[in-house]
Amino acid sequence: MKVDSLDVQRWQKYIEQETGFVLPDIQLQWLANAIDCTAMSNGLSVQQLWYQLSKSDELRQQLLDKVLIHESRFFRHRPSIDFVTEYALQHHKADNIDSLFRVWSVGCASGQEAWSLAMSLAAQRCQDYVILGTDISEEAIKSARLGQYDHRQQTLIPQSCQPFVQPLPSKSTLNRSKPSTTEAANSMQENWQVAPVLQPYVNFSVHNIIEQKPPTTHLQNVIICQNMLLYFRKFDQRDILARLSEQCALEGYIILAPGEALFWRPSNMRRIAHPQVNVWQKISA
């Protein structure tokens, strides 16, 4: 039995209750398809799925993985990446030997933003840094940790960061002792992976941003939260931003998407005048 158009509103409220995400009406068909798919894959009716969700964290996570949008791309907003890189260089020049330069990518989806930051920092020979990427989707985090992407994503990476891209042979190529030159070349073009040299600098974790508990006890030099707040109601956005400011180190920065959360007026943060980046600096604890 498929979910009907009236019942889907009940599911819409459930998603908001669990994640804070407000799915617009234009995405209700997407939600209905996700519900039907989750129910069918577990041999349940839609009604049975509804009653089982409160009893099974696994079912809940499966549904959330199908509902939530995990799209991203490498170097999505280049000015923000450049801002973080320049700040990291200043941080190291200031002889901050005792502390790592810490960056948190909130709502990292499949990891493109976190890996973009790592590539940019590594291209500038930064070493004392660590990047944390978090997302509510277990499926997205698994993909992020794997660090494998298609050819279209590689074309978005600037030339200076291409050394951190490695070809990934297809399974058919790996299983054959002597693949043809054409087959090997095609497989190299189709898929690639982030260079293993970056792996020690990047960690990924499942985290629900509306939860009170942060994903790490460390204060962050930079927190990037772009194109995610728009899915939350304004009062939830304020709560999220307040939590992010608590996790931001003094004199550190929070970077939002251009035009995002312009209503925010925190007493402990000040907006930096920048022509391309929506950035806030923490000025008091």
Side-chain angles (χ1 to χ4, degrees), residues 10-209:
R10 177 175 65 162
W11 289 86
Q12 184 183 22
K13 291 179 181 178
Y14 172 80
I15 296 298
E16 181 178 353
Q17 175 186 324
E18 292 295 306
T19 68
F21 274 54
V22 181
L23 292 172
D25 291 343
I26 195 173
Q27 291 183 357
L28 292 188
Q29 186 55 53
W30 174 275
L31 172 60
N33 292 340
I35 296 166
D36 292 336
C37 183
T38 304
M40 290 178 62
S41 63
N42 288 279
L44 302 171
S45 68
V46 169
Q47 196 68 11
Q48 288 171 330
L49 174 63
W50 175 261
Y51 289 115
Q52 289 296 322
L53 283 175
S54 61
K55 305 174 185 178
S56 172
D57 290 339
E58 182 179 353
L59 278 177
R60 172 186 173 277
Q61 190 63 54
Q62 284 183 29
L63 177 63
L64 294 181
D65 283 343
K66 287 182 171 61
V67 171
L68 302 181
I69 299 169
H70 313 309
E71 290 186 3
S72 187
R73 62 181 184 271
F74 278 84
F75 291 86
R76 176 170 56 181
H77 190 243
R78 183 68 182 272
S80 295
I81 302 292
D82 292 342
F83 182 92
V84 177
T85 305
E86 291 169 11
Y87 179 42
L89 292 172
Q90 294 171 10
H91 182 268
H92 293 311
K93 287 178 181 178
D95 294 327
N96 290 299
I97 300 174
D98 296 333
S99 62
L100 290 173
F101 184 78
R102 296 183 180 276
V103 183
W104 177 14
S105 172
V106 184
C108 70
S110 298
Q112 289 91 331
E113 182 175 75
W115 290 123
S116 296
L117 288 162
M119 289 178 179
S120 183
L121 291 173
Q124 294 297 322
R125 302 184 185 278
C126 292
Q127 292 184 333
D128 298 326
Y129 69 91
V130 62
I131 297 168
L132 172 65
T134 63
D135 198 276
I136 194 174
S137 169
E138 286 186 2
E139 187 177 296
I141 290 299
K142 286 178 182 177
S143 296
R145 287 175 180 150
L146 200 60
Q148 297 178 358
Y149 303 93
D150 61 33
H151 177 65
R152 291 173 299 173
Q153 293 280 344
Q154 184 178 350
T155 62
L156 302 172
I157 298 173
Q159 192 60 41
S160 62
C161 295
Q162 286 293 329
F164 303 105
V165 171
Q166 289 189 355
L168 179 69
S170 65
K171 290 182 180 180
S172 61
T173 301
L174 291 171
N175 292 333
R176 290 177 54 175
S177 57
K178 291 183 179 181
S180 68
T181 302
T182 302
E183 181 183 26
N186 287 341
S187 67
M188 297 301 185
Q189 292 174 358
E190 291 294 328
N191 299 287
W192 61 277
Q193 64 182 0
V194 174
V197 70
L198 296 182
Q199 294 280 351
Y201 299 97
V202 184
N203 299 303
F204 293 99
S205 177
V206 176
H207 179 254
N208 186 346
I209 194 60

Side-chain angles (χ1 to χ4, degrees), residues 27 52 73 112 125 144-145 219 222 241 243 253-254 256 260 274:
Q27 291 183 357
Q52 289 296 322
R73 62 181 184 271
Q112 289 91 331
R125 302 184 185 278
R145 287 175 180 150
L219 296 182
V222 178
L241 289 167
R243 292 189 192 112
Y253 296 95
I254 293 177
L256 307 176
E260 203 168 36
H274 193 287

